[in-house]
Amino acid sequence: MMDDDTELVVSSSDQKMDDDASTQNPAAPRADPPSSDDSGESDSDSEDEAESNQQIQTLESDLSANPYNYDAYVQYIKLLRKTANLEKLRQAREAMSAIFPLSPSLWLEWARDEASLASSENVPEVVMLYERGLSDYQSVSLWCDYLSFMLEFDPSVRGYPSEGISKMRSLFERAIPAAGFHVTEGNRIWEGYREFEQGVLATIDEADLEERNKQIQRIRSIFHRHLSVPLENLSSTLNAYKAWELEQGIDLDIGSDDLSKVSHQVAAANKKAQQMYSERAHLEEHISNKDLSDTEKFQEFMNYIKFEKTSGDPTRVQAIYERAVAEYPVSSDLWIDYTMYLDKTLKVGKAITHAYSRATRSCPWTGDLWARYLLALERGSASEKEIYAIFEKSLQCTFSSFEEYLDLYLTRVDGLRRRMLSTRMVEALDYSLIKETFQQASDYLTPHMQNTDSLLHLHAYWANLELNIGKDLAGARGVWDSFLKKSGGMLAAWHAYIDMEVHLGHIKEARSIFRRCYTRKFDGTGSEDICKGWLRFEREHGDLEGFDLAVQKVMPRLEELQLIRLQQESTPVKPSAGLKEHNSQKSAGEKRKAEPNVEEESLAKRQKRKGQKEVDIGGQSATVPNTKNVKAENGKTADSNNEEMEDAKPLKPKIYTDECTAFISNLSVKAQEEDIRKFFGDDGGVDSIRILHHKDTGKPRGLAYADFVDDEHLAAAIAKNRKMFFGKKISIARSNPKKGKKEFTRRGNDGSGNSKEPSLISEKAKAPLGGEMEGERQGNEVEVRGKNTFTVPRNVKPLGYTTPKPSADETPKSNDEFRNMFLKK
């Protein structure tokens, strides 16, 4: 019989249901006609019922729109029990259990409701319901209810027939490893087992001493097993055992903890169990602490599991895992940890596949669990039909990333390949299964994972199996051709296709693939790499004709790519949109604000500007002070005051003029600055070396600039052009000034008879800056105004024109001479 603490919610002792009242609440008593005293209570009940019906309709709409709403199902079932709608209640429970594993409390509630209506005819249906509940979670309360139901309602057990006794013993032996090791509740299973066996003893004739002694020994064995398990209140169990032995005529000193009269084996086992319980008492206290948060309690469970693993008893480890998953059924990390432990300890068996089945029902959104489930089925030699069913079921789930779907497809292909090649495989499999799986994976994943390494590896695997298992070269080429149509920008895909042909010895086909892709644009240095790869391929595998063809095709392409690189480097960085907008907001009035005062500019300011010169820094003009003959405030010249100002001068960026600079290309990415210096020699006159790197990756680009102290050392460096350096012939050439710079010479007398040094004036310096130069055309007259009053002729020349060198006697015109030329009428 069921204990008081497991009494059914819906009692069978309530009124029996009529045939036409199947939708009424079985727990509801027959209603008497309302009296005037309880009319108010009836009105209140009607209002509650109307409100409940309205909530039920709302939940039905919600579940129709989203059948995966777990909380809505729980609330829906609760309201249906309240309104006694039995048929809808059963349908709702079945619908929910088809999608979700129900919690132990939901199974217990459902089983008790159905058990309250049980009769000898529908006992198998209720038994199946209990079994379904226990397949989801191992609950002590559910096991106790199940055992009590069998003893009370199963006709084959009632009265203790031999068949019924064997049936119940088998059921109790199942319950012990599933729930009998529960430290705080496991006593209920053991006590129920003993009570059942004592009931069997009571049915044996006292004259049949042999049979009674066998039964007494069976009960004694259950006591001994119980005393060896670390459970709560073992001292009470020991006293119960002594009392029972006293009934059999054996005095074991009841009322004391003395084990001297107990067999040595039982005493040792009980002492060890007491010690094991003491070691676990604090862990039990922690996981039963109601003040802990879910996260803290979960961590306490994990600590408990770790402790049991160190003890080395797989049964106890499984028991604590079962308690944990019952408490946290939707923790994917917990299920993964549990199943991994089973894979490691049990290797194969129904227990493992059953655990994976429960795990994937509890956490269907975890692709790793499904993939491991397929592997467990393969280890257990499951049939192709069973494995395929699980694979198809997994694809119906929603995962957090497409990588999880890819892992499932690959796991499926792995299993098919292994079983096809296995000599122990009884079931014959056709290669078409692998091909269909690959095709399905490609069709589904390509739109979402295009141009990814993962998708590339999938197709490489596919092409490899087409060759090795399918024995279909055309099929393997078709895999690569189809992939390159959608992901032709992946350099690695072209290399993989070429490597396959080279490995097969198909030189002509590999060369054809090079010709298809060498003009394509790839990321980074991919375009250069594929060109160099073609040359390397012809050198290692091709003939002279093929090598000549590759050189003819590749070298112009490499030069074109090199030119593009240089143009990209010389392109100045464009100002940001915000800066442009800020500059454009300056009004014309602001630009002209200083113009009326230009002609009235003080002599001191003009002299100060004359003491400045312009230099070109990276294509941008900059004005720096000329320290020659500039008087300081204390009367000293800047030259005489240099030592005093040495510490006060700020550091200036180095200016590269390309006057004695060599441009180095085809440089090995392994070459360092020190290696390049050694290449030119210790006395090579190298001033500095600049190795160019990719902006995105920071890797060397195979290009560098080398600055030399003079033209003589630069010429010596250029003489080493096409020399071998780090296994490659490097190119060395004089670096020309960047385009857009205009060079001209300004000479004049500084008062000491020395001519001024030539300077480079950038185009930007010639343009008007903030109104500093302005020309107003009136007919054929030009009025030149502003600070910079010299005029630079346009540097536009016809094709083939070369600038003649000035003769030795010709003196370039000064700024004042240019100004006078244009001011003449």
Side-chain angles (χ1 to χ4, degrees):
M1 297 295 293
M2 299 183 183
D3 298 335
D4 293 339
D5 58 342
T6 59
E7 183 180 355
L8 297 177
V9 175
V10 182
S11 175
S12 60
S13 62
D14 293 332
Q15 77 165 73
K16 295 182 180 180
M17 300 173 60
D18 296 332
D19 294 339
D20 57 349
S22 60
T23 60
Q24 298 299 316
N25 186 355
R30 189 183 300 276
D32 297 327
S35 62
S36 58
D37 296 336
D38 55 11
S39 60
E41 183 179 351
S42 299
D43 293 341
S44 176
D45 292 342
S46 299
E47 292 177 0
D48 292 342
E49 183 177 358
E51 183 180 356
S52 297
N53 290 332
Q54 181 63 36
Q55 292 177 356
I56 287 173
Q57 293 179 2
T58 302
L59 289 171
E60 287 175 345
S61 300
D62 294 342
L63 290 172
S64 177
N66 180 18
Y68 293 93
N69 190 335
Y70 185 93
D71 294 333
Y73 263 119
V74 174
Q75 187 66 20
Y76 184 45
I77 291 172
K78 182 178 180 181
L79 287 172
L80 289 176
R81 291 189 81 239
K82 181 180 178 181
T83 58
N85 196 332
L86 185 59
E87 287 303 317
K88 278 193 173 183
L89 178 60
R90 285 172 173 165
Q91 293 174 4
R93 282 168 167 166
E94 290 291 350
M96 184 178 182
S97 65
I99 301 174
F100 304 104
L102 304 187
S103 66
S105 60
L106 287 175
W107 278 116
L108 187 62
E109 185 181 78
W110 188 1
R112 286 177 175 177
D113 286 350
E114 296 295 341
S116 67
L117 304 173
S119 63
S120 58
E121 290 79 12
N122 65 350
V123 165
E125 297 177 2
V126 180
V127 169
M128 183 59 66
L129 191 63
Y130 275 113
E131 291 288 349
R132 288 172 58 188
L134 292 172
S135 68
D136 277 349
Y137 301 105
Q138 299 295 328
S139 167
V140 176
S141 297
L142 194 58
W143 266 111
C144 290
D145 266 33
Y146 183 17
L147 295 167
S148 298
F149 173 80
M150 293 294 292
L151 288 171
E152 182 176 358
F153 292 101
D154 192 344
S156 65
V157 176
R158 193 182 301 129
Y160 298 101
S162 58
E163 181 182 352
I165 292 174
S166 299
K167 187 176 184 178
M168 287 303 300
R169 283 173 179 167
S170 176
L171 202 59
F172 272 112
E173 290 295 336
R174 281 179 54 200
I176 285 176
F181 292 94
H182 193 295
V183 175
T184 57
E185 299 181 14
N187 286 318
R188 297 169 61 187
I189 302 297
W190 291 100
E191 291 168 1
Y193 197 0
R194 288 201 318 267
E195 290 175 3
F196 167 73
E197 293 294 352
Q198 288 175 349
V200 174
L201 178 62
T203 63
I204 300 176
D205 190 358
E206 293 185 1
D208 192 353
L209 296 180
E210 182 179 358
E211 192 63 29
R212 286 184 64 85
N213 287 335
K214 287 182 180 180
Q215 186 61 23
I216 290 172
Q217 188 59 37
R218 183 176 284 110
I219 297 172
R220 181 177 287 114
S221 176
I222 294 174
F223 264 119
H224 291 174
R225 290 170 61 189
H226 187 183
L227 289 170
S228 66
V229 179
L231 300 174
E232 194 176 39
N233 296 325
L234 273 182
S235 58
S236 299
T237 304
L238 179 61
N239 291 332
Y241 170 56
K242 291 182 177 180
W244 181 82
E245 287 287 10
L246 186 61
E247 294 176 0
Q248 313 309 316
I250 302 175
D251 186 8
L252 299 178
D253 193 10
I254 189 172
S256 69
D257 295 335
D258 186 17
L259 299 176
S260 59
K261 295 184 178 181
V262 181
S263 67
H264 175 73
Q265 184 177 1
V266 175
N270 181 253
K271 185 177 180 180
K272 183 179 180 181
Q274 293 279 10
Q275 181 181 356
M276 291 175 64
Y277 172 74
S278 299
E279 294 171 351
R280 291 162 176 77
H282 69 286
L283 297 171
E284 289 289 339
E285 182 180 354
H286 289 164
I287 63 175
S288 60
N289 188 352
K290 296 182 179 180
D291 295 333
L292 296 179
S293 64
D294 285 343
T295 304
E296 294 172 335
K297 190 174 182 180
F298 179 83
Q299 186 58 47
E300 293 298 336
F301 264 109
M302 298 307 296
N303 294 338
Y304 202 161
I305 291 170
K306 183 178 180 181
F307 173 81
E308 289 293 359
K309 285 182 178 180
T310 59
S311 68
D313 187 349
T315 304
R316 299 203 60 81
V317 176
Q318 284 185 253
I320 189 61
Y321 264 124
E322 288 294 341
R323 292 175 63 183
V325 296
E327 190 79 21
Y328 299 96
V330 294
S331 173
S332 58
D333 291 337
L334 180 59
W335 278 111
I336 290 174
D337 195 54
Y338 184 19
T339 52
M340 287 179 64
Y341 173 78
L342 294 177
D343 285 334
K344 182 180 179 180
T345 54
L346 302 183
K347 306 295 183 182
V348 295
K350 291 185 178 180
I352 295 179
T353 55
H354 180 60
Y356 275 112
S357 175
R358 296 161 57 202
T360 51
R361 276 172 50 79
S362 299
C363 305
W365 56 85
T366 308
D368 188 32
L369 284 173
W370 288 103
R372 298 173 65 85
Y373 191 3
L374 293 176
L375 292 173
L377 291 172
E378 184 183 352
R379 293 190 194 99
S381 301
S383 64
E384 166 61 19
K385 181 179 180 180
E386 184 179 359
I387 295 176
Y388 180 74
I390 298 301
F391 173 66
E392 283 295 308
K393 189 176 181 181
S394 68
L395 295 180
Q396 305 303 317
C397 301
T398 302
F399 303 136
S400 60
S401 69
F402 289 100
E403 291 285 348
E404 293 184 85
Y405 289 102
L406 175 62
D407 187 41
L408 273 175
Y409 281 114
L410 292 175
T411 304
R412 167 66 172 163
V413 171
D414 294 344
L416 288 171
R417 177 187 59 80
R418 285 189 291 261
R419 286 182 289 150
M420 283 183 184
L421 300 177
S422 175
T423 57
R424 298 177 299 174
M425 186 66 189
V426 178
E427 193 175 9
L429 298 176
D430 189 76
Y431 175 72
S432 61
L433 293 174
I434 291 181
K435 194 166 188 174
E436 290 172 2
T437 305
F438 272 124
Q439 189 63 59
Q440 183 182 2
S442 179
D443 294 342
Y444 178 67
L445 297 175
T446 297
H448 309 287
M449 302 179 67
Q450 194 168 359
N451 296 327
T452 61
D453 291 339
S454 298
L455 195 63
L456 171 61
H457 295 158
L458 173 73
H459 286 80
Y461 189 14
W462 185 3
N464 183 46
L465 294 189
E466 287 283 350
L467 283 174
N468 297 326
I469 298 181
K471 307 299 180 182
D472 186 359
L473 177 58
R477 288 172 175 167
V479 170
W480 282 120
D481 289 335
S482 176
F483 180 70
L484 290 172
K485 286 181 181 178
K486 300 175 182 177
S487 302
M490 293 190 68
L491 177 62
W494 290 99
H495 278 311
Y497 193 2
I498 292 168
D499 290 343
M500 183 191 78
E501 296 290 0
V502 172
H503 181 73
L504 295 173
H506 300 159
I507 306 304
K508 182 178 179 181
E509 288 75 8
R511 182 180 295 118
S512 176
I513 300 172
F514 271 118
R515 296 184 66 175
R516 288 169 55 187
C517 66
Y518 84 97
T519 57
R520 282 180 171 269
K521 182 179 180 181
F522 298 103
D523 293 337
T525 60
S527 300
E528 291 93 334
D529 293 342
I530 199 66
C531 293
K532 296 174 183 177
W534 189 2
L535 293 175
R536 185 168 56 254
F537 161 78
E538 294 293 353
R539 181 180 297 113
E540 297 174 358
H541 302 282
D543 52 17
L544 182 59
E545 182 180 355
F547 182 78
D548 291 340
L549 175 63
V551 171
Q552 180 183 356
K553 296 287 186 181
V554 166
M555 295 310 294
R557 174 63 174 162
L558 286 174
E559 292 176 2
E560 176 187 2
L561 294 171
Q562 189 71 25
L563 180 60
I564 293 174
R565 294 288 180 192
L566 293 176
Q567 289 177 346
Q568 291 175 348
E569 292 174 5
S570 62
T571 303
V573 180
K574 295 182 179 179
S576 62
L579 182 60
K580 289 183 178 180
E581 182 179 356
H582 175 73
N583 292 337
S584 63
Q585 291 176 353
K586 290 185 177 181
S587 63
E590 290 178 335
K591 294 181 180 180
R592 294 192 299 266
K593 187 175 181 181
E595 288 181 7
N597 298 327
V598 172
E599 295 180 356
E600 300 174 6
E601 190 177 25
S602 66
L603 178 62
K605 288 185 178 181
R606 293 183 183 179
Q607 290 178 345
K608 181 179 179 181
R609 190 171 63 256
K610 287 181 180 179
Q612 297 177 343
K613 62 179 180 180
E614 288 188 347
V615 297
D616 184 81
I617 303 178
Q620 302 291 332
S621 62
T623 303
V624 297
N626 185 357
T627 58
K628 287 189 176 183
N629 300 327
V630 178
K631 293 286 185 177
E633 293 181 359
N634 58 5
K636 298 181 180 180
T637 65
D639 288 337
S640 62
N641 202 32
N642 279 344
E643 295 182 359
E644 298 178 8
M645 300 177 63
E646 188 68 27
D647 296 335
K649 288 183 179 180
L651 296 176
K652 298 179 181 179
K654 186 169 182 176
I655 303 173
Y656 298 103
T657 61
D658 290 334
E659 293 180 357
C660 295
T661 302
F663 176 70
I664 308 172
S665 59
N666 200 32
L667 188 66
S668 173
V669 296
K670 298 180 181 179
Q672 303 295 325
E673 180 178 339
E674 189 63 29
D675 299 325
I676 300 175
R677 288 183 180 274
K678 291 181 180 179
F679 175 75
F680 290 122
D682 296 335
D683 56 348
V686 178
D687 183 24
S688 63
I689 294 175
R690 291 164 285 156
I691 299 177
L692 305 185
H693 296 76
H694 288 286
K695 296 180 180 178
D696 299 330
T697 63
K699 296 181 179 179
R701 296 178 49 191
L703 305 173
Y705 287 100
D707 299 304
F708 294 88
V709 295
D710 51 36
D711 284 335
E712 181 180 354
H713 287 90
L714 174 61
I718 295 175
K720 294 188 177 184
N721 183 36
R722 309 302 294 171
K723 296 290 185 181
M724 295 298 296
F725 181 58
F726 273 82
K728 301 177 71 174
K729 290 184 178 181
I730 63 173
S731 298
I732 307 174
R734 177 185 288 272
S735 176
N736 294 324
K738 298 177 180 177
K739 293 183 179 181
K741 294 183 180 180
K742 309 300 178 182
E743 182 178 0
F744 60 93
T745 304
R746 291 192 300 154
R747 295 183 181 177
N749 196 304
D750 58 0
S752 62
N754 298 324
S755 60
K756 296 181 181 179
E757 297 178 354
S759 61
L760 300 177
I761 307 297
S762 66
E763 286 293 320
K764 204 164 190 178
K766 302 171 190 176
L769 299 175
E772 292 180 353
M773 175 178 178
E774 179 180 353
E776 298 180 1
R777 290 187 178 274
Q778 297 178 359
N780 294 327
E781 298 180 1
V782 177
E783 181 181 2
V784 181
R785 301 165 52 195
K787 300 177 182 178
N788 299 330
T789 55
F790 59 84
T791 303
V792 181
R794 294 182 64 196
N795 196 17
V796 179
K797 304 176 180 62
L799 185 64
Y801 177 85
T802 58
T803 304
K805 296 182 180 180
S807 62
D809 298 333
E810 181 180 357
T811 303
K813 293 181 174 55
S814 65
N815 291 342
D816 294 335
E817 290 173 332
F818 271 118
R819 185 186 305 109
N820 294 332
M821 287 173 57
F822 283 94
L823 291 177
K824 288 181 178 180
K825 295 292 184 177

